[in-house]
Amino acid sequence: MSNAVEFDPGPPAAFAQHFASVPDYAPFKNFFWYDWGPVFYRGRLDGSARVLCIASDPGATERVALRTLVGDAGQRVQGFLAKLGLVRSYLCLNAFAYALIPSQSAGGDDVLDEPAHLAWRNALFDMAKGPQVQAVIAFGAQAQRAVAKWPGKAGTQVFKLPHPSSHDPQVLANAWRAAVVTLRGIVTADAGGNATGANYGAQLVEADYAVIPRRDLPFGVPAFMGDDRWLRAMAPPQFASVSRPHPDDRHTLIWKAPKSN
């Protein structure tokens, strides 16, 4: 199948039913960009994933794409997966189904312990951790707290790594570099993947990013979705094509497209 016609047709019935049963976030809506609704996943829901990635929450770009981890952070994660030789056998989920307002993260953490949310999230993780999963990667504090509360992680090695949006580039690169070395000895690379390429240097550079594959995105998204090289090449570089303008950030998104040549 050519890249031109590859797309994610959506979740299988069992996952769709579970996603549709996400507990109500309304009691916690002041902590989230609630009115935009939930975003649930990116990657394989068919049991073929060998790495399960857990991040914190979907961002503004993810809301437009309808898939998680597709913006700057997602393209960094895609580059990380590429260093393991994975081009398709992964699944990305979140600790929160709704976008968390950073200044409200302490209150948002209450959701991690709320019984209905805890049960729903652990059931989702259980569904996602099929027999092919060889490692679980928790990116950032919220993801690590969520995974710590998940009994089903037992028997699978869990890697606790800085979030891809970490503000300490050296800590991020050092932790991700070490994880790549270890994970290359655990995770089976995909056919067509390359697990022998360059690891991270002192900090992440453009070569450490990877474009989000068409197979991870819904049909009909524009060609630049999941590929922000044009933004990062600006002077000064920019890192998001979708933003939430203040003060109406709870109800307005601004989406910027590259100019055609």
Side-chain angles (χ1 to χ4, degrees):
M1 181 180 291
S2 71
N3 288 340
V5 294
E6 277 195 306
F7 63 95
D8 177 6
F15 277 97
Q17 290 171 4
H18 192 71
F19 292 150
S21 71
V22 62
D24 191 4
Y25 271 68
F28 308 97
K29 66 180 182 179
N30 289 336
F31 307 139
F32 296 89
W33 278 290
Y34 174 75
D35 291 341
W36 289 101
V39 177
F40 295 106
Y41 78 101
R42 176 169 70 82
R44 313 287 79 75
L45 293 170
D46 60 1
S48 64
R50 290 195 286 275
V51 167
L52 174 59
C53 299
I54 312 294
S56 57
D57 64 304
T61 305
E62 284 69 28
R63 176 65 276 164
V64 172
L66 308 179
R67 296 294 183 269
T68 199
L69 281 174
V70 300
D72 188 76
Q75 291 163 51
R76 287 183 170 197
V77 168
Q78 197 66 28
F80 180 93
L81 293 169
K83 292 180 188 296
L84 306 182
L86 296 180
V87 294
R88 64 170 62 243
S89 302
Y90 52 79
L91 174 59
C92 303
L93 302 173
N94 286 310
F96 303 113
Y98 284 69
L100 179 67
I101 298 172
S103 63
Q104 302 297 321
S105 60
D109 282 351
D110 293 343
V111 179
L112 296 178
D113 289 311
E114 200 282 327
H117 287 266
L118 176 64
W120 181 89
R121 187 179 65 246
N122 283 346
L124 174 61
F125 291 174
D126 285 341
M127 293 172 67
K129 203 195 89 168
Q132 300 296 323
V133 170
Q134 297 169 325
V136 174
I137 305 173
F139 290 104
Q142 279 94 11
Q144 290 161 20
R145 293 188 190 109
V147 170
K149 301 173 188 298
W150 173 35
K153 66 181 178 296
T156 305
Q157 190 162 350
V158 176
F159 290 77
K160 300 177 182 179
L161 299 183
H163 192 274
S165 297
S166 170
H167 296 298
D168 192 327
Q170 290 185 327
V171 169
L172 175 65
N174 289 341
W176 282 26
R177 185 189 317 114
V180 166
V181 173
T182 304
L183 281 161
R184 282 175 169 174
I186 297 173
V187 174
T188 305
D190 284 329
N194 178 17
T196 63
N199 203 335
Y200 296 100
Q203 61 185 52
L204 273 65
V205 297
E206 182 60 36
D208 295 317
Y209 284 82
V211 175
I212 306 302
R214 298 292 96 184
R215 70 177 68 93
D216 288 6
L217 300 171
F219 181 81
V221 299
F224 63 84
M225 177 65 73
D227 183 2
D228 289 336
R229 286 174 291 182
W230 63 281
L231 282 168
R232 296 188 293 270
M234 291 182 174
Q238 298 181 29
F239 297 96
S241 62
V242 185
S243 60
R244 293 186 173 96
H246 184 77
D248 195 34
D249 57 304
R250 289 179 181 264
H251 303 100
T252 302
L253 293 178
I254 297 176
W255 188 14
K256 182 163 51 179
K259 295 180 180 179
S260 57
N261 295 325

